[in-house]
Amino acid sequence: RRRALREAGARLGVSERAVLTLVLVHSVAIPRAEGLLPEDSWLSPHPTPVDELRRHTQLPIGELEAALRTLRHAGLLGQVKAGEEAGGYVPGPQFHRLTPAARRRLQEELILAAGPSTPLAAAVRTRRSAQ
């Protein structure tokens, strides 16, 4: 299973990885840091709107839309509607399959991506170098 996940990640291009990271940061990491999500959950009622993705990426709109489509088809992102609001993107069903160790590793990667110079990121790097 681990090899299959690595291979799926290797097939994603730079644009897809960047968009997936943005969605995970905005729909999971930020709400989790604000105490709105449990530590170990990748389910999120906090969709990342497309406007938010546009603001935080330098990808041309066509490339952003193609990356979102690829990620949806791979089950890595889900698209939700929020009534009259635009809705947005949340982690997809593939995240339900992660083992506890894989969830922990992904959480660490988000910490390093979202705040590489924070004390928490330094703690992650220190723990990893000790292993």
Side-chain angles (χ1 to χ4, degrees), residues 47-67:
T48 305
V50 173
D51 290 345
E52 189 78 15
L53 295 171
R54 286 182 188 148
R55 268 195 303 277
H56 295 286
T57 184
Q58 296 177 0
L59 294 175
I61 188 65
E63 198 172 331
L64 172 62
E65 289 173 352

Side-chain angles (χ1 to χ4, degrees), residues 59-74:
L59 294 175
I61 188 65
E63 198 172 331
L64 172 62
E65 289 173 352
L68 289 167
R69 199 169 29 257
T70 298
L71 293 166
R72 275 195 337 267
H73 290 300

